[in-house]
């Protein structure tokens, strides 16, 4: 059997667009001689639609488009959609729609869908909606017991570093143990910071991968099960995985929300440098504007680094000094602040002035303001609320500072894009004389290790009696105290298995001090 694996990038809620893409891919599958075309989980409504799944008019529109798809698809189709209140797979053949399987939902899925873990068989194939390794094995076993030759696994599986290797190992183990051919068809593209990684594959009953789609790209791949020649499916370095996910997350958020250009505050530091390069790779250098906003504390080195970065990447750089604005703000408050020394107040004032300028540019030119804060800063609360924490999207908010440098080195290995001077200098916010990040924070390698350990404390299955030193507790309390900032931060791309915004739910008003 020749199966067309249709790895598509849907737009959540844009049902007519998704339907059009599905019909186009089905037509291409026919042209390529495929016997059947298979599509990802929830391909008709789009994934992660949240409470849209509760709206009757939305569900009715999905049903209507499903009828259109059934009439126009020239080949049999296995397709994910909402069907009779379930996150389901339907089988479409000769205009007839048959419910093929439904997902064994857990957690948030139970808010939206009925839980009917059903499986049907037809024309030598079965299907399931991916919901974890255990359920995958059960579905494969049911199909194998019925002497079904092919299991279609529809998915909208979310990326985190290492996930590509995990899912491939799961599928190979399942296929060989249950003696069944498996086609895994995964969504690609991003929705509100969740990146579906694609990387759809076909695995024979011997556990051999005979077809594999690229990561993060919309594509059609033909799996010909009459040919068991293995395909090259080597492991991808984490730096490459993460970088591609960061570009995909930012690009899809912009385009699916009507933005065609970016604006970024360029400081001369490593965070804004990486974000600028990601933005360039997402939409092209001609659609990225950097704004450099020096103050009396800004070094000449930062100015030179900002200019060199933008020159290396073909990015337009505007310079807007903030000294006069800063003096004006301080003057307006001088009669109130009589007798008070400069402190964090004046530092935050500079950051908020810069945010006003960036947002003004964003409004005037309909450019998405891309925030440049990283995961380490977010953990420590090392940002100014409504200042450098402002933005429409946070491109690197799930990227730790130590791994950030590795990402920069990877990107420079392709072509020099980030000045070496940016990578070599000590991080500083330049909000007061001779300021360094380490004045306020532990060394980043220490802080980043503590973030991993902090997340581990929320795992009820972790080893009991986890040793936490007094210094570590101080860092944990610092993370706890700044939850209020994280809950007001812009959404960003998830690339780690545990992110602050997506995977932790901590009360802001919190008296526990463990």
């Amino acid at each position: 059997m020749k199966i067309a694996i249709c790895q598509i990038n849907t737009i959540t809620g844009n049902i007519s667009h998704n339907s059009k893409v599905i019909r186009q891919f089905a037509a291409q599958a026919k042209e390529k001689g495929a016997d059947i075309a298979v599509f990802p989980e929830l391909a008709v409504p789009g994934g992660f639609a949240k409470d849209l799944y509760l709206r009757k008019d939305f569900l009715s529109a999905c049903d209507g488009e499903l009828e259109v798809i059934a009439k126009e698809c020239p080949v049999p189709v296995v397709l994910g959609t909402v069907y009779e209140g379930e996150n389901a797979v339907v089988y479409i053949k000769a205009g007839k729609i048959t419910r093929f399987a439904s997902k064994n939902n857990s957690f948030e899925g139970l808010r939206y869908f009925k839980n009917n873990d059903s499986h049907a068989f037809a024309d030598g194939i079965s299907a399931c909606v991916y919901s974890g390794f255990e359920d995958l094995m059960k579905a494969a076993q049911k199909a194998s017991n019925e002497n079904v030759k092919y299991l279609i696994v529809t998915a909208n599986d979310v990326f985190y570093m290492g996930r590509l290797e995990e899912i491939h190992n799961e599928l190979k183990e399942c296929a060989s143990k249950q003696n069944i051919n498996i086609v895994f068809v995964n969504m690609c593209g991003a929705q509100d910071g969740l990146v579906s990684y694609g990387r759809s594959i076909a695995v024979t009953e011997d556990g051999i991968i005979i077809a594999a789609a690229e990561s993060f790209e919309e594509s059609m791949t033909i799996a010909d099960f009459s040919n068991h020649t293995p395909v090259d499916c080597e492991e991808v370095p984490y730096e490459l995985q993460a970088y591609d996910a960061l570009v995909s997350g930012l690009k899809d958020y912009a385009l699916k929300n009507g933005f065609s250009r970016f604006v970024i505050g360029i400081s001369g530091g490593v965070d804004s440098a990486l974000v600028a390069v990601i933005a360039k790779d997402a939409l092209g250098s001609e659609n990225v504007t950097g704004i450099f906003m020096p103050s009396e504390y800004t070094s000449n080195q930062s100015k030179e680094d900002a200019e060199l970065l933008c020159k290396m990447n073909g990015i337009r750089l505007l310079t807007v000094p903030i000294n006069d604005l800063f003096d004006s703000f301080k003057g307006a408050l001088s009669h109130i602040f009589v007798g008070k020394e400069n402190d964090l107040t004046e530092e935050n004032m500079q950051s908020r002035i810069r945010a006003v300028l960036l947002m003004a540019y964003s409004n005037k030119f309909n450019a998405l303001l891309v925030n440049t804060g990283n995961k380490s800063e977010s953990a420590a609360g090392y940002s100014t609320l409504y200042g450098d924490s402002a933005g429409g999207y946070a491109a690197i908010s799930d990227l730790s500072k130590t791994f950030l440098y590795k990402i920069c080195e990877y990107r420079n290995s392709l072509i020099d894009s980030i000045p070496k001077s940016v990578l070599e200098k000590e991080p500083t916010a330049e909000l007061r004389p001779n300021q360094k990040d380490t004045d306020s924070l532990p060394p980043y390698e220490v802080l980043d290790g503590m973030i991993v350990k902090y997340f581990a404390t929320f795992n009820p299955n972790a080893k009991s009696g986890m040793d936490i030193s007094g210094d570590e507790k101080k860092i944990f309390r610092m993370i706890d105290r700044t939850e209020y900032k994280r809950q007001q931060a812009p959404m960003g791309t998830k690339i780690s298995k545990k992110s602050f915004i997506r995977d932790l739910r901590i009360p802001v008003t919190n008296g526990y001090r463990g």
Side-chain angles (χ1 to χ4, degrees), residues 271-288:
D271 299 325
S272 62
L274 178 59
V275 170
V277 176
I278 291 169
K280 178 194 75 170
D281 288 347
L283 292 185
S285 58
E286 69 277 10
N287 295 311
V288 182

Side-chain angles (χ1 to χ4, degrees), residues 318-486:
L318 304 175
T319 299
V320 184
I322 67 167
N323 286 334
D324 291 346
L325 289 169
F326 188 32
D327 289 341
S328 179
F329 270 66
K330 289 189 293 184
L333 293 165
S334 60
H335 66 291
I336 300 173
F337 289 175
V338 172
K340 295 288 185 179
E341 296 293 328
N342 284 357
D343 57 14
L344 187 61
T345 306
E346 283 72 24
E347 293 184 32
N348 287 341
M349 200 181 296
Q350 296 169 71
S351 185
R352 290 179 177 128
I353 289 169
R354 291 181 170 122
V356 168
L357 296 173
L358 289 166
M359 287 304 304
Y361 185 96
S362 172
N363 293 159
K364 187 64 70 176
F365 296 100
N366 192 36
L368 177 66
L369 173 55
V370 188
N371 179 272
T372 61
N374 62 60
K375 187 173 188 175
S376 306
E377 294 169 344
S378 177
Y382 193 59
S383 63
T384 300
L385 202 58
Y386 320 122
D388 59 337
S389 66
Y393 192 82
I396 58 170
S397 60
D398 195 29
L399 179 60
S400 69
K401 191 79 168 188
T402 49
F403 194 64
L404 184 149
Y405 281 96
K406 294 181 180 180
I407 295 282
C408 292
E409 290 170 4
Y410 157 73
R411 186 60 182 78
N412 276 355
S413 72
L414 303 179
I415 184 171
D416 278 342
S417 301
I418 299 171
K420 290 182 180 179
S421 54
V422 170
L423 299 175
E424 292 171 354
K425 68 184 178 185
E426 190 172 353
T428 171
E430 293 191 322
L431 296 172
R432 64 174 183 265
N434 301 314
Q435 183 182 29
K436 298 289 185 288
D437 287 6
T438 48
D439 296 341
S440 305
L441 302 176
Y444 279 115
E445 58 270 20
V446 174
L447 175 58
D448 291 346
M450 287 301 96
I451 293 171
V452 175
K453 196 165 186 178
Y454 179 81
F455 276 102
T457 64
F458 293 93
N459 180 2
N461 298 318
K463 294 179 180 179
S464 60
M466 181 184 292
D467 293 330
I468 302 174
S469 69
D471 288 341
E472 290 173 341
K473 284 186 177 182
K474 290 179 182 178
I475 295 176
F476 284 8
R477 287 168 185 169
M478 175 180 65
I479 296 174
D480 286 335
R481 285 196 306 270
T482 53
E483 178 66 20
Y484 75 99
K485 289 188 179 181
R486 289 186 289 274

Side-chain angles (χ1 to χ4, degrees), residues 13 19 24 28 31 39 59 65 87 98 102 159 195 200 272 276 316 359 367 371 375 386 454 464 472 484 510:
S19 172
Q24 288 174 341
Q28 292 173 26
E31 292 175 1
F39 292 85
L59 299 179
E65 282 299 332
N87 181 346
T98 304
S102 56
F159 172 81
V195 181
S200 304
S272 62
R316 180 189 185 203
M359 287 304 304
N371 179 272
K375 187 173 188 175
Y386 320 122
Y454 179 81
S464 60
E472 290 173 341
Y484 75 99
N510 176 11

